[in-house]
C-alpha cells in the first residue's frame, strides 16, 4: 500500500502549490476583513479552514503540519498588534497562539488520518470486488463445464444413433432424434448468448450502459423472443397501467426475463401458465416470475445464483442444468444496481428481481 509519508516529485510540487494557494487565499480574505471593518478576531478561523483544505487535498501529514506553523506566524505577524512585526510577549497571546497551533495540527492530522482511512477502505473494497469477480468466474467455469456437457452428450448420442442406425429407424424415431438435436442446439445457443452478455458486462468494468426504456416494450420484446424458443409455453403477464420508464440495458434485461421464464418452463414440471408480473414502488421496478410446479429444494435457495449446483433440483430436468442461466441473471441485475432472489410459494416458486427507477451516479 502506498505510504502517505513518502511522496514523489510530482506529488511534492502539487502539495506545495496547494499549500501556497490555500494560505494565500486565507491571507487575502483576512486582509479584506481587516480593511473592511478591522475584524481580526476571526482571522484564526480563516487560517484553520485553510489548514483543513490543505490537509484534505494534499498527500501526507507534512503539508498540514507545516501550514499550521505558517498560519500561526502569519496571524502573529500581519494581523496582531503591532502589525507587520512578530510579538509573542503580549499578555495572553502565547496561550492563544499555542492553542491555535494545537488546533491546527490536530485538525490537520485528523483530516489526513480520515483521508487515509478512506483510502484503505477503498482499497479493501476493490480487493473484495476482485475476490467476488474471481469467485463468480470460477462458478461460471464450473457451470459451463456442467451445463455444456449434458446437451453436447445428447447431440453426439442422437446424431451417432441416426448415422449408425438410419436404415433400421422409423420416420418417427428419426424425427424425434432430430428434434432432440435441435432442442439441445437451441439450449447451447442460449447459453452462448448468456456468456456473451456476461462478457459485455465484464469488458465495461461490471457496469452497463443504461438508458431509459419503456418497461412494457421491454417485457413484450422478451416475451416475443421467449415464445420463439418455446412456443407451447403459456405466460400470463401483468404490467403497470401507467407509462413507466426504467434506466437499463434493454437487451440484457430481456435476457434476464427470458432466462427466468425458460427456467420456469424447463424445471417447474407443471403445465400451468407461468406468471410474469411487474409493479413499481419504493423507487424500484419489481419483476416477478412465478411457476406453479414442484418448487425449489430449500437447501439450494442460498446458493441458487452461484452458477453451479452439485445436486439436481427437485424440479430439475436431468438433461439441462439451470445454474449458469441464474448466475448470468444475477450478474446482469447486480450490474444494474438491482437485486435478485428466489423463494418457494405454497405452489411452485417465484423469482424476483428489481431495477432502480433512477440511475445512480458513480462520480
Amino acid at each position: 500500500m502506498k505510504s502517505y509519508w513518502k511522496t514523489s516529485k510530482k506529488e511534492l510540487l502539487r502539495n506545495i502549490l496547494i499549500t501556497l494557494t490555500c494560505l494565500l487565499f486565507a491571507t487575502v480574505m483576512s486582509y479584506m476583513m481587516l480593511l473592511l471593518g478591522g475584524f481580526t478576531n476571526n482571522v484564526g478561523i480563516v487560517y484553520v479552514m485553510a489548514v483543513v483544505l490543505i490537509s484534505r487535498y494534499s498527500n501526507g501529514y507534512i503539508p498540514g503540519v507545516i501550514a499550521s506553523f505558517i498560519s500561526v506566524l502569519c496571524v502573529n505577524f500581519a494581523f496582531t498588534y503591532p502589525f507587520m512585526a512578530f510579538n509573542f510577549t503580549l499578555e495572553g497571546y502565547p496561550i492563544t497562539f499555542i492553542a491555535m497551533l494545537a488546533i491546527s495540527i490536530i485538525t490537520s492530522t485528523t483530516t489526513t488520518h480520515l483521508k487515509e482511512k478512506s483510502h484503505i477502505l477503498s482499497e479493501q473494497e476493490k480487493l473484495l470486488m476482485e475476490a467476488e469477480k474471481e469467485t463468480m468466474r470460477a462458478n461460471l467455469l464450473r457451470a459451463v463445464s456442467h451445463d455444456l456437457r449434458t446437451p453436447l452428450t445428447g447431440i453426439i448420442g442422437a446424431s451417432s444413433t441416426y448415422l449408425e442406425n438410419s436404415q433400421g429407424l422409423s420416420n418417427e424415431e428419426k424425427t424425434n432424434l432430430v428434434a432432440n438435436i435441435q432442442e439441445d442446439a437451441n439450449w447451447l445457443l442460449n447459453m452462448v448468448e448468456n456468456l456473451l452478455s456476461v462478457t459485455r458486462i465484464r469488458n465495461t468494468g461490471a457496469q452497463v450502459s443504461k438508458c431509459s426504456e419503456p418497461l412494457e416494450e421491454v417485457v413484450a420484446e422478451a416475451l416475443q423472443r421467449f415464445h420463439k424458443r418455446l412456443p407451447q409455453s403459456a405466460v400470463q403477464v401483468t404490467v403497470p397501467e401507467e407509462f413507466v420508464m426504467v434506466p437499463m440495458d434493454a437487451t440484457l434485461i430481456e435476457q434476464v426475463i427470458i432466462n427466468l421464464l425458460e427456467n420456469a418452463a424447463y424445471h417447474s414440471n407443471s403445465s400451468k401458465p407461468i406468471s410474469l408480473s411487474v409493479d413499481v414502488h419504493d423507487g424500484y421496478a419489481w419483476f416477478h416470475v412465478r411457476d406453479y410446479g414442484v418448487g425449489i429444494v430449500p437447501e439450494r435457495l442460498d446458493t441458487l445464483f452461484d452458477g453451479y449446483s452439485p445436486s439436481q433440483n427437485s424440479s430439475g430436468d436431468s438433461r439441462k442444468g439451470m445454474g449458469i442461466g441464474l448466475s448470468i441473471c444475477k450478474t446482469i441485475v447486480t450490474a444494474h444496481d438491482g437485486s435478485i432472489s428466489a423463494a418457494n410459494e405454497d405452489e411452485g416458486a417465484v423469482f424476483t428481481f428489481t431495477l432502480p427507477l433512477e440511475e445512480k451516479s458513480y462520480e
Side-chain angles (χ1 to χ4, degrees), residues 1 119-135:
M1 181 176 296
H119 178 78
I120 293 173
L121 290 175
S122 176
E123 291 294 327
Q124 290 177 343
E125 184 178 352
K126 289 180 181 179
L127 292 175
L128 288 174
M129 290 179 62
E130 289 298 324
E132 184 177 352
K133 287 182 181 179
E134 289 299 325
T135 301

Side-chain angles (χ1 to χ4, degrees), residues 210 284 330 332-340 353-356 360:
K210 293 184 285 186
Y284 287 85
K330 180 180 179 180
I332 293 174
V333 172
T334 301
H336 280 78
D337 302 310
S339 62
I340 187 168
F353 71 92
T354 64
L355 296 177
K360 294 183 179 179

